[in-house]
Each structure stands twice: as C-alpha cells, then as structure tokens.
Amino acid sequence: MVNGVPFPCSILEQAAHLADGVDNVVPIHPSPFKVACASCAVREVCLPLGFGADDLRRFDPLVARRRTVRRFEALYRSGEPFRALFAVRTGFFKSSLAPKCGREQVTGFQMAGEVLGFDGIASERHTTDAYALEDSQVCVIPYFELETLSRDMPELQRQLHRIMSREIVRDHAVMLLLGSMRAEERLAAFIANLADRLRARGFSGSRLVLRMTREEIGSYLGLKLETVSRAFSRLQEDGVLEVRQRHVTVIDAAALERIAHPLAN
Amino acid sequence: MVNGVPFPCSILEQAAHLADGVDNVVPIHPSPFKVACASCAVREVCLPLGFGADDLRRFDPLVARRRTVRRFEALYRSGEPFRALFAVRTGFFKSSLAPKCGREQVTGFQMAGEVLGFDGIASERHTTDAYALEDSQVCVIPYFELETLSRDMPELQRQLHRIMSREIVRDHAVMLLLGSMRAEERLAAFIANLADRLRARGFSGSRLVLRMTREEIGSYLGLKLETVSRAFSRLQEDGVLEVRQRHVTVIDAAALERIAHPLAN
DNA sequence: CGCGAGCTTGATGCCGATCAATGCATGTGG
DNA sequence: CCACATGCATTGATCGGCATCAAGCTCGCG
C-alpha cells in the first residue's frame, strides 16, 4: 500500500523523524519582518484563527519550523513518541489505525489548515499513523512550548480547546454514519463534507479531485472498495454526481445533502 | 423512552437547568476543612488525577457545586448553551446524538470519574444529549473558570488535555469497531471495556450489572437489539459469558479478549 | 506497446435487519 | 391474590444489503 521506494531525501527525513519527530525541518523567516501565519493562505481556517496582530506575533515563533512530507510518506506512526502537533500547510493526509495483522481503519482525512496529532497527547505516543496522500508541507507545533504559550495567551488556549472539541464532534458524526447509515448515504455524506471543507478554503465545492483511493474511502466509511465504487455509480445514475475516476462533480447539491442527512427530514 | 413523569423535584431541576445548565446545585463543604476531591472515592480516575495536596487545594473550589440527576433525566441536551463540564461522582450516563426524526446514536457511556461535555466547547452549545441511566450525582466544573485556573495550574492544563485526547483515542477505537468488526466481536469488546473500567474503580471485572438496555447497547455498537441479544446468547453458548437479563458474568476472560481483538492475533 | 495499479461490474453467499411471536419480570388495580 | 398491562429480552423465519469472489476495464507510464 504505502510506497517503500525511497525518494532522494526520504531516508534522511525518516531517520531524523524517528529521532524525535520534530527534526528535519527548515527554519522559516528568511527575513525577520515576515510573519509566517499572517501571510499563510489558510490562516483563516487554521489554529491562529481570530488572532489579532499582537497574538499572531507571539504565536508565530512557535511554528517557526516546517516539515515536508512527500506522497506516501509518514508524518508519524503509531507508537512513536509524541512531541508536536502538525498543522497542514499544503497537501493532504490520511490518519489511520493499523492494528497489526488486521485491516487498517482510516480515522480521518486532513487538508490545509487542519491540525493532526491530538491522539498522542494522552499517552505521549502517537496512536495513529499519518500518511501524506500527496506531496505536503506541515507547520510543526512543539507541544510542550504550545502548552507553555497557551498559559499566557487565552486566545490560543481557547482556540486549542475548540479544535480538540471539534475533533470530538467530528468523530461522533462518523460514529453516527458508521452506526446507522447505508452505503450510499455514507458516501454522500463523505462527498458533501469534503465539498464543504474545500469551499471553506476558497476552492470549488462542486468540482473536486479525490486524493484517496476507493479502498481508503471504504476504510473510512466502513465499506469495501467495491461497495464504494457501486455507490458512486448509483449516485451518478441518479444524477447526483458525475464520477470519472477521481474526478467528482456535484450535479445536484440539494439531492446530495438530502441523501447525506436521511435522518434530518 | 425517557420517563416524563415528574419526580418531586424534577420540574424545578429542569427549569433551573434550562436557565443556565449550572444552577440547581448544592454547595458542598459543610465544614471549611473538608476538601471534596481529596475525599472523593473516584479521585484516582478523575480529572485531578495526580494532583499534589497544593494543586488539590486550588482545584477544589472550582468543583464546589454538585448536581443530582435522577434516572432517565437529562444532564444536558443538544442545543443547550455550554457552560460547564461534568464529572460523574456516582451513577451512570449515556451520551447520544439524536438527529431529529432519526434513530439515536449512543456515542458513549460514562461512569464514576469520567468527564462529560467536551463536545460543547467548539460551538459553545452541547451537541449531544446526556441522560442518567440511574440516579446519579455529578460535580459541576464551570468551563470559563476552568480555563482561567488551568492557565495558572500546569498540572490541571495537562490533565485536561490528556482527558480530551483520551476521548479522541476512544472515539477512534469505536470507529474501528463500527467499521470492521462483526456483531459478536463488537459485543465482546464492549463487555471487555466495561469490565476494565469497573476494575479500575475497584469493582469486580467479572460480575457486572448492565445499566443500559439491549437497544442502547445496540445503538452504541451499530447493531439492532435482537442482534445484541443473539450475540449474548452465542457468547453464552460458547462458554465465554453467563448472561441473565442485565447480569453478566465473565466466565472465560481470555476468550473474551481474544474475540474482542480479532485483528491483533 | 504492454504492464500494472486502481476502478468498475457481475454473480453469489452470508451476516445482520426486519417482522413476528413468545417469555419473563415488575407493577397495578380489582 | 390473581388478572392484566407494560417494558424488556429471547428466539425463530425471512429478507436484503453488503462482502466476497471473479472478470474485465481504464489510464498512466516505462
């Protein structure tokens, strides 16, 4: 599944990564006047959402490091020591549980502005794997320093709690989906959710390119890849979507919503 | 489902509750020398876990209020303003999503020492319902004050983050269960988990009394109540459990574990 | 061009949902 | 005390949706 062929720099990256999960990063600030978050394209959907100029200035040094993760490489793996959270700057990730000898369970997909790694706080070790589904870049947020700074920055503290809470709410929604929705409904909810998140980032919510395989979608939705494929075909027949491999166009957004929320009618 | 017959004090309770979610509480500390958390039976599995005497003294006034919730009554409901977290002191709760006109999805069961309400932080409104499954008492932890205090108490801050992270990890485990386990495996995992938590609280992990109905178990596990019943019968036939109504005895703990973690072999 | 990974589509079978009846414990009123 | 109602649990029969097994298909790429 995950490509094992080393890219030119992947061995070094991985070694550094295994060392402490935070190395292999490039300091930013080529000029001392630049404020990274302030100029970041996804600031409005990321951790420093709502920060004033002053808060931004204080928060900025915390995320002064970045890390590049190429397609199919791991940002972190289950069992590794937890030292930092990661905010996606560019690219796309999947998080998954990989019980040994069992099939993987994808627990989420993360796009620009979203933060990964909260599962590691409890035990000080990561409990999920995070893989890049395309060449990506993340901001490294050292957790110990984040804790310290958030004691002095109520706005940061609030935002951190909000994001963790949102993750819990999101997980509940997935439980509802897995526990009581049928295949087509699950897929519709999935596509509708992706579209919403893309729209919030200024992209089209009607023409999307999937970054993940049918198998990964299936793992997330508790379905086999064949069932995902059939559900796509059916939504296409019904004039809701147009599907061509990984290119999906939403034809009838209202219908999509209706299918995705069958219990809310 | 939920008993609508008002108990002697339930109307008052509910009115106060609707008003701000924190009222209807009794100040504790009948004597100024008592420290509530220090003398609490479940301190070792609750929020102030690991606090020294000094931290305990500072944390204590924060949870100076309690609230009694009788069987079938709501601690809070989806949509109500979020103002506090609640730590279970005695009793047993279920949390659930109740999409209007749809079937409910139970998202978790909480016993003594466990904290409810994190889902409300993100939107400042509760997104789940919490119902007492037996007469219960909770400690009210006003959230705004908790935020403030945790800025001054690194140990509290850490513990709060740990608990939220643990909830995320737990939710991931439920996703794995819902996404890829079969009925018997789900039920075995559920019983094994309950037993573990009871054992951590000093109760027997082999003789347990279920506080919830088959339907609620089914909702949590993504199964119909008949399937839960059949799975119980099968586990009994196989000599793993003994089941008599809500009384469950674990006969073969090793087998239970084996069934509950089919992917880890 | 030909290979292979990923996707689609078809045929079949199984697990759990659904429908339905019975059992069991508790409570209530005559 | 019994007759009856009620809520929950068990068990059986049948049905349906998704998994499984098995071909083909598409597209990108060496």
Side-chain angles (χ1 to χ4, degrees):
Chain A
M1 157 119 340
V2 168
N3 193 338
V5 180
F7 285 83
C9 59
S10 78
I11 292 179
L12 281 178
E13 281 189 12
Q14 196 155 315
H17 174 210
L18 288 173
D20 76 2
V22 181
D23 274 350
N24 172 43
V25 287
V26 226
I28 47 183
H29 301 303
S31 135
F33 305 113
K34 273 264 170 61
V35 178
C37 283
S39 65
C40 179
V42 290
R43 174 165 57 100
E44 283 313 312
V45 291
C46 194
L47 213 161
L49 165 65
F51 284 12
D54 197 50
D55 279 342
L56 264 182
R57 242 189 310 279
R58 300 178 64 196
F59 178 67
D60 218 55
L62 190 66
V63 293
R65 286 154 175 274
R66 299 220 187 115
R67 192 170 135 202
T68 295
V69 187
R70 306 188 79 111
R71 192 177 182 198
F72 298 135
E73 289 184 348
L75 175 57
Y76 53 78
R77 290 200 182 84
S78 177
E80 290 175 6
F82 166 80
R83 294 214 174 77
L85 298 172
F86 303 96
V88 180
R89 229 182 104 77
T90 63
F92 203 90
F93 287 83
K94 70 168 177 185
S95 299
S96 56
L97 291 171
K100 15 194 173 316
C101 301
R103 84 177 234 189
E104 89 172 333
Q105 170 73 33
V106 171
T107 57
F109 296 103
Q110 290 82 24
M111 58 178 72
E114 296 177 330
V115 182
L116 291 85
F118 292 109
D119 57 87
I121 296 174
S123 59
E124 297 185 19
R125 289 191 173 274
H126 290 284
T127 63
T128 58
D129 299 345
Y131 286 99
L133 296 184
E134 60 182 41
D135 291 355
S136 303
Q137 204 176 45
V138 297
C139 296
V140 178
I141 311 173
Y143 181 65
F144 180 74
E145 301 172 35
L146 177 65
E147 270 190 336
T148 306
L149 185 60
S150 77
R151 271 179 233 136
D152 266 348
M153 277 183 63
E155 204 43 57
L156 174 59
Q157 181 197 31
R158 296 220 114 195
Q159 185 62 9
L160 182 61
H161 291 177
R162 261 198 289 264
I163 292 178
M164 290 183 79
S165 174
R166 201 182 307 148
E167 172 124 2
I168 291 170
V169 171
R170 190 187 66 77
D171 290 349
H172 289 168
V174 176
M175 286 186 215
L176 176 64
L177 179 149
L178 291 171
S180 60
M181 288 169 68
R182 317 193 305 102
E184 269 174 80
E185 295 165 358
R186 298 185 196 190
L187 188 61
F190 173 70
I191 296 296
N193 175 268
L194 269 188
D196 285 346
R197 286 152 68 197
L198 287 169
R199 215 176 291 113
R201 284 157 181 78
F203 294 102
S204 164
S206 55
R207 304 182 61 84
L208 33 152
V209 179
L210 303 178
R211 252 64 237 214
M212 69 295 283
T213 67
R214 300 292 191 259
E215 186 171 17
E216 287 161 338
I217 296 173
S219 172
Y220 182 59
L221 299 179
L223 302 169
K224 291 291 157 189
L225 71 96
E226 295 95 325
T227 305
V228 173
S229 183
R230 275 184 250 268
F232 266 132
S233 300
R234 200 152 208 295
L235 288 172
Q236 179 160 262
E237 283 166 28
D238 295 350
V240 180
L241 300 179
E242 194 174 297
V243 185
R244 241 187 45 252
Q245 304 288 120
R246 299 198 177 181
H247 295 258
V248 174
T249 307
V250 178
I251 305 295
D252 185 343
L256 188 67
E257 280 302 320
R258 215 176 315 118
I259 298 170
H261 304 295
L263 310 171
N265 297 333
Chain B
M1 155 122 341
V2 169
N3 192 335
V5 180
F7 286 85
C9 59
S10 79
I11 291 176
L12 281 178
E13 281 189 15
Q14 197 156 315
H17 173 208
L18 288 173
D20 73 7
V22 181
D23 273 349
N24 172 43
V25 288
V26 227
I28 47 181
H29 301 304
S31 137
F33 303 113
K34 275 263 171 62
V35 177
C37 283
S39 64
C40 180
V42 291
R43 175 166 56 100
E44 282 313 313
V45 291
C46 194
L47 214 163
L49 164 66
F51 283 13
D54 197 52
D55 279 343
L56 265 183
R57 239 189 313 279
R58 300 177 64 194
F59 178 66
D60 218 54
L62 191 64
V63 293
R65 286 152 174 277
R66 299 219 186 117
R67 190 169 138 205
T68 295
V69 189
R70 307 188 78 111
R71 192 176 182 199
F72 299 135
E73 289 183 350
L75 174 58
Y76 54 77
R77 290 201 182 82
S78 176
E80 289 175 7
F82 166 80
R83 295 213 173 77
L85 298 172
F86 303 96
V88 181
R89 228 180 106 75
T90 62
F92 202 91
F93 287 82
K94 72 167 177 184
S95 299
S96 56
L97 291 170
K100 15 192 173 316
C101 303
R103 86 176 233 189
E104 88 173 332
Q105 171 73 32
V106 172
T107 56
F109 296 103
Q110 290 82 25
M111 56 177 74
E114 296 178 330
V115 182
L116 291 85
F118 291 110
D119 56 271
I121 297 174
S123 59
E124 296 185 22
R125 289 190 174 273
H126 290 285
T127 63
T128 57
D129 298 345
Y131 285 99
L133 296 184
E134 62 183 37
D135 291 356
S136 303
Q137 205 177 43
V138 298
C139 296
V140 178
I141 310 173
Y143 181 66
F144 181 73
E145 302 171 34
L146 177 66
E147 269 190 335
T148 305
L149 185 59
S150 77
R151 269 179 235 138
D152 266 347
M153 279 182 61
E155 204 44 55
L156 174 59
Q157 182 196 30
R158 296 220 113 193
Q159 186 61 8
L160 183 62
H161 290 177
R162 262 198 289 263
I163 292 177
M164 291 184 78
S165 173
R166 202 182 305 148
E167 172 123 2
I168 291 170
V169 171
R170 190 188 67 77
D171 290 349
H172 288 168
V174 175
M175 286 187 214
L176 176 64
L177 181 149
L178 291 171
S180 61
M181 288 168 68
R182 318 191 308 100
E184 270 174 79
E185 296 165 357
R186 295 185 199 192
L187 188 61
F190 173 69
I191 295 295
N193 177 268
L194 268 189
D196 285 346
R197 285 153 68 196
L198 287 170
R199 215 177 289 113
R201 284 157 182 79
F203 295 103
S204 164
S206 54
R207 302 183 62 83
L208 35 150
V209 179
L210 302 178
R211 254 63 237 216
M212 68 295 282
T213 67
R214 300 290 191 260
E215 186 171 16
E216 288 162 337
I217 297 173
S219 173
Y220 183 58
L221 299 179
L223 302 169
K224 290 292 157 188
L225 69 96
E226 296 95 325
T227 305
V228 173
S229 184
R230 274 184 249 270
F232 266 133
S233 301
R234 200 151 209 296
L235 289 171
Q236 180 161 261
E237 282 166 29
D238 295 351
V240 180
L241 300 179
E242 196 175 296
V243 185
R244 241 187 45 252
Q245 305 289 118
R246 298 197 181 183
H247 295 259
V248 175
T249 307
V250 179
I251 305 293
D252 187 344
L256 188 68
E257 279 302 321
R258 215 177 315 118
I259 297 170
H261 303 295
L263 309 171
N265 297 332

